[in-house]
Amino acid sequence: MSELFDAVDALLASRATLPPPAERKRLRSAHGLTIDEVATALKVRRATVSGWEAGKTEPRPPERDAYARLLDKLAELYPVASATPAPDAAVPATFTATPAPVEARTLSAGEASEAAAMTATENTQTSPAPVAAPSASAPRPARTTRTSSTSRRPGGKKAAPAGTPAGGADPRFENGPLAVVDVEDGKVLAYCTGGLVLDVPAKSIPALVDWTLREAKLGQPKLAGPGKDADPLIVLTEAALERYGLPVTLTEEEKHAGRIPEGHKVIKQLTRAEWKLTKRGFGPWARIYRPATGSERACVQLCIPSWNALDTRHWGEAGQLPPAELARVLGVYASRVMTPRGSTAVTGLELMTALHPPTRASEPDADGKRHSEHNPGSLGKDAIDPMNWPPCEVPDGHPVLKDLPRFHVRGPAEKLFEEAYDWARPMTDAECALRHLVGLDVNMAFAAGANGLNVGLGEATHVQAPAFDPKLPGSWLVDLSHVDLSRVKVGKEWVQLDGSLLPSPFTPKGDRPTGPAWYATPTVAYAVELGYEVRPTEAWVRREHGRYLDGWYNRLRDAYLATMADLGVDADLSPADFLAAMDGYKARDPELAIVVSAVKATVKGGLGKLRERPRGEGWRPGEPWRALSRPTWRPDSRAAVISRTRINLHRKIVKHAAFTGQYPIAILSDCVVYAAAGPSPLDFLPYREGKPLPGGFKLGINPGLVKWEGTQDVLWGEEVRERFNAPELNLARSIKDGTVTDADNGE
């Protein structure tokens, strides 16, 4: 019997409640302990404890129990001064919390689904008081049906489970960034983050907007000093749509238009109440506002999942989740990335601006007044004149190309063509003798390509016969056909390689250039790195430049790593433990897996928006389109990120080939396939005493490191290539599950 009790005690310990990260650091410092001392006592790395205190990772058993015990004792010795629990909140015994000021409002005191608990650790940019996330391995309780409560009183609030972030320290947004509005038993309820449920008295959409701004206390603090607070987000379920007189689904005509008709009764209601809609109208992501007065904004964002607001390619089944669970998914994303402003692509672009607002307040003038001025490091508030863009950097149909013949096809010497890899080659006899094809996928590859990248902030300057400067972002017309991959520099040494088995780093298809072509700065710099001289004939360079995407990368990287840590995949795992942790990680918490997918889509979509093409609207070639009016329309920045991402991958491939003699047989974007004797990446990656080849492929969850994508038999690869009579069919496209449905056409 004692063994059973011990097992139960261990099970309870594995779910030990921990105080917020900031409180962990306070308690350690109060006792005069260093991070090294705590790490030594718990037998973990210093970086691990640092991650726990920063809220980037969470301890797992058995260390979690010991860490909780330490913090319990320290909390007894060093309690928070003058702190008392909120009367309606369940506060863990290990620490106390100061309640945020609560204004009188009508809330539901009924039980909400435990699944509404967010495991997000509030990012310090959105809340100065992070909250600890529970162990990702902890099974989440089954969803319970919420029963409407008849007990409703001012200030009533459901006690959220431990480790659940609330709205944050800002009393204006104490109920979180968003709410999912649903109708149950005839009552309209707003499911917020942290398990909170509010009664909604509004009987119309205009009244709902007014309630959101006046009473709901929803929103999110700005991400940068001169920026703006995020508008509250209201998500409408199908039941809420019916209650407020909106269609549950859109007709085919409305889907094509992306909105409901201007004459719809709800739009008329908004007009009578003096609310306005943006030019995109009332669609899946409607924005309802009144013109700002001074610094006060009056704007509410609506999200309508049944109108396909949450694209299943990026949000999975989020649109089908019950209200509490959907609030949790969107709440985690909002706390770690930002409150969604539209699709993941739109949000990715908005995040760039939120982190680098175009203007700031000036220093006081002689009369003590401040004025709006350009914010250094931003793209400013004005878009570049379409006619001032370099012809080589713009897509076909751009106004600067309007004088070209109608069916003219621009070649490499006329058009900058920096895209991701889509390359494959036939296998050698030696590779066919091996048993397996193993795919590696680079984590957050394009985010890693943006990290530390110098991009243009202003207009380009045209230069003839320039000397190449790797620190100057821009586009260069240069002949790189002389670069021979059979003999290249790796580090400071020249090495001999089989160039016929390597893709060219200068073209997406891996073909060797045949003459002058336009390249972004990272591509030309790599030719120099390989040991070859470059002589550009002309260039478009940007004298005003900076690391504009660094903050964007850091925000998305942290969101990705924190969510993966919640799913049991930490950044400090050994290669074998990492592969084991990645096996089935999505099943541990399918809702958090949705957040991971959305974060990755935010990266790719945001970068894609930098060169957004026309989207119908009666556009004709040679005419400007809507995206050109944005300061964030920057095809040069997109090209630089893709260039650097492709070069980063090629550099790893070359170092791996030089060290092991192994060459890839297929590459698709951020996935590379090798033939190997065994089915695991560890069967061919050159680890020595747990350490990877410097500059080569390294298993891990950090952006730029690689994970296992999938393994198939060599016979499978040969069979599908023979079946489709395509000896260079790109096997990277199907390595994950082995499904090949048609001949490879590059789509």
Side-chain angles (χ1 to χ4, degrees):
M1 183 65 70
S2 61
E3 292 181 358
L4 292 177
F5 288 161
D6 290 342
V8 170
D9 290 343
L11 187 62
L12 292 173
S14 70
R15 307 295 184 262
T17 300
L18 299 175
E23 177 67 2
R24 302 171 199 175
K25 183 176 181 180
R26 186 193 74 81
L27 292 171
R28 174 182 59 76
S29 300
H31 200 61
L33 297 175
T34 66
I35 292 180
D36 288 319
E37 288 174 326
V38 175
T40 301
L42 298 178
K43 297 181 179 180
V44 297
R45 294 168 49 203
R46 184 184 191 280
T48 301
V49 177
S50 179
W52 295 345
E53 291 188 354
K56 293 182 178 180
T57 58
E58 285 298 306
R60 295 189 296 167
E63 292 84 3
R64 187 181 182 90
D65 180 31
Y67 191 43
R69 189 185 300 272
L70 170 65
L71 296 176
D72 278 350
K73 296 299 182 183
L74 293 177
E76 293 175 5
L77 294 172
Y78 309 101
V80 178
S82 304
T84 55
D88 294 303
V91 181
T94 55
F95 69 104
T96 56
T98 304
V102 179
E103 295 183 13
R105 63 194 186 283
T106 304
L107 307 176
S108 168
E111 287 298 315
S113 166
E114 291 279 1
M118 289 168 52
T119 61
T121 300
E122 291 281 37
N123 187 291
T124 54
Q125 288 179 290
T126 55
S127 171
V131 182
S135 169
S137 59
R140 294 172 47 252
R143 179 176 183 267
T144 57
T145 304
R146 185 193 180 282
T147 56
S148 296
S149 171
T150 56
S151 172
R152 307 186 189 279
R153 53 189 173 79
K157 187 173 184 178
K158 176 188 177 293
T164 300
D170 195 323
R172 298 173 301 159
F173 312 129
E174 67 177 64
N175 293 333
L178 56 91
V180 180
V181 175
D182 191 32
V183 180
E184 294 184 20
D185 299 330
K187 297 182 176 62
V188 183
L189 304 172
Y191 288 81
C192 305
T193 58
L196 176 68
V197 183
L198 308 178
D199 278 326
V200 181
K203 300 185 184 303
S204 66
I205 289 294
L208 176 64
V209 173
D210 191 67
W211 171 83
T212 301
L213 293 171
R214 293 178 182 273
E215 301 179 40
K217 295 197 172 184
L218 296 173
Q220 191 175 35
K222 58 190 177 183
L223 298 181
K228 299 176 181 177
D229 297 327
D231 299 320
L233 174 65
I234 296 295
V235 185
L236 298 177
T237 66
E238 294 184 10
L241 292 173
E242 292 179 343
R243 168 61 68 92
Y244 290 123
L246 289 165
V248 172
T249 58
L250 299 179
T251 65
E252 287 301 318
E253 183 179 354
E254 290 168 344
K255 288 179 183 177
H256 182 72
R259 65 179 76 187
I260 58 177
E262 294 296 323
H264 194 280
K265 64 179 181 180
V266 170
I267 296 180
K268 292 181 178 179
Q269 292 172 0
L270 290 168
T271 301
R272 286 196 296 270
E274 298 182 346
W275 290 105
K276 297 180 178 294
L277 292 164
T278 60
K279 292 180 180 180
R280 293 196 178 276
F282 203 122
W285 288 95
R287 197 169 297 171
I288 304 172
Y289 72 99
R290 285 186 179 131
T293 55
S295 61
E296 294 298 320
R297 286 170 59 83
C299 183
V300 172
Q301 178 89 51
L302 296 186
C303 168
I304 306 177
S306 65
W307 293 6
N308 198 34
L310 301 175
D311 192 324
T312 55
R313 294 172 298 175
H314 310 140
W315 289 100
E317 300 302 317
Q320 306 301 318
L321 291 174
E325 282 84 342
L326 180 55
R328 177 187 183 233
V329 169
L330 294 176
V332 173
Y333 180 89
S335 68
R336 294 179 174 177
V337 180
M338 69 180 297
T339 304
R341 297 290 304 274
S343 66
T344 50
V346 169
T347 303
L349 196 69
E350 293 278 355
L351 180 61
M352 296 178 194
T353 303
L355 294 169
H356 287 284
T359 59
R360 67 178 184 182
S362 67
E363 293 296 323
D365 60 17
D367 297 326
K369 294 183 179 180
R370 296 179 183 269
H371 306 276
S372 176
E373 67 177 16
H374 175 74
N375 184 28
S378 76
L379 297 177
K381 60 184 180 64
D382 299 319
I384 293 176
D385 186 326
M387 301 309 294
N388 289 342
W389 275 100
C392 63
E393 292 181 348
V394 299
D396 294 339
H398 189 276
V400 81
L401 304 175
K402 64 182 179 180
D403 294 331
L404 284 179
R406 182 175 179 185
F407 298 106
H408 177 73
V409 177
R410 291 185 293 162
E414 299 174 280
K415 179 180 180 181
L416 178 68
F417 193 65
E418 295 283 9
E419 299 294 341
Y421 266 130
D422 185 355
W423 169 87
R425 63 169 175 82
M427 284 186 275
T428 65
D429 291 343
E431 289 165 340
C432 289
L434 299 173
R435 297 188 59 184
H436 302 282
L437 298 174
V438 183
L440 299 175
D441 182 74
V442 182
N443 296 315
M444 301 269 283
F446 294 98
N451 182 29
L453 180 64
N454 206 16
V455 297
L457 301 178
E459 293 188 9
T461 301
H462 190 225
V463 184
Q464 293 288 349
F468 175 67
D469 183 351
K471 297 181 180 179
L472 197 57
S475 301
W476 309 79
L477 182 62
V478 58
D479 188 349
L480 300 180
S481 61
H482 63 292
V483 178
D484 183 5
L485 295 182
S486 297
R487 184 175 181 272
V488 297
K489 266 190 176 181
V490 176
K492 296 182 179 180
E493 297 181 358
W494 287 93
V495 298
Q496 299 292 328
L497 301 173
D498 188 341
S500 66
L501 300 181
L502 286 170
S504 168
F506 309 127
T507 62
K509 288 293 184 180
D511 300 324
R512 186 168 178 170
T514 58
W518 285 100
Y519 302 101
T521 298
T523 302
V524 185
Y526 186 57
V528 176
E529 179 184 329
L530 292 176
Y532 289 86
E533 184 182 12
V534 297
R535 294 180 179 178
T537 55
E538 63 177 298
W540 290 90
V541 297
R542 289 170 171 82
R543 310 292 185 189
E544 183 185 359
H545 52 79
R547 292 166 58 159
Y548 175 75
L549 295 171
D550 272 12
W552 182 82
Y553 161 77
N554 290 333
R555 182 82 175 169
L556 291 165
R557 175 204 61 196
D558 291 349
Y560 176 69
L561 292 180
T563 312
M564 289 301 295
D566 288 342
L567 287 165
V569 186
D570 295 323
D572 55 356
L573 295 173
S574 68
D577 289 343
F578 168 70
L579 291 174
M582 286 294 294
D583 186 19
Y585 76 92
K586 293 182 180 180
R588 292 175 202 143
D589 192 328
E591 291 167 17
L592 287 185
I594 292 174
V595 177
V596 171
S597 173
V599 170
K600 292 193 289 187
T602 303
V603 172
K604 290 188 177 181
L607 293 173
K609 277 281 185 181
L610 292 173
R611 196 190 66 169
E612 184 175 355
R613 302 291 190 93
R615 304 175 60 124
E617 302 174 344
W619 174 81
R620 294 181 180 180
E623 296 178 350
W625 57 91
R626 180 182 298 179
L628 300 186
S629 63
R630 295 193 318 247
T632 48
W633 194 80
R634 300 294 308 210
D636 56 313
S637 297
R638 173 189 176 273
V641 172
I642 294 176
S643 163
R644 195 162 185 246
T645 302
R646 193 182 67 247
I647 294 307
N648 285 346
L649 181 57
H650 196 274
R651 184 181 292 111
K652 289 180 171 63
I653 290 169
V654 166
K655 290 196 175 183
H656 185 84
F659 189 79
T660 67
Q662 298 168 334
Y663 296 83
I665 64 169
I667 310 173
L668 183 67
S669 187
D670 48 9
C671 176
V672 56
V673 176
Y674 282 89
S680 167
L682 292 176
D683 291 320
F684 72 96
L685 291 183
Y687 275 85
R688 288 185 176 179
E689 299 179 355
K691 296 183 179 180
L693 171 68
F697 295 107
K698 179 183 178 181
L699 291 167
I701 198 59
N702 278 296
L705 305 188
V706 298
K707 61 180 181 292
W708 176 62
E709 178 69 4
T711 297
Q712 303 296 330
D713 294 337
V714 166
L715 291 177
W716 162 85
E718 288 296 272
E719 188 275 329
V720 295
R721 283 179 164 180
E722 183 178 348
R723 187 197 324 163
F724 294 110
N725 191 26
E728 296 183 1
L729 180 114
N730 196 329
L731 299 176
R733 186 169 277 110
S734 311
I735 195 69
K736 189 168 189 175
D737 59 12
T739 302
V740 183
T741 57
D742 203 349
D744 186 20
N745 60 6
E747 293 297 324

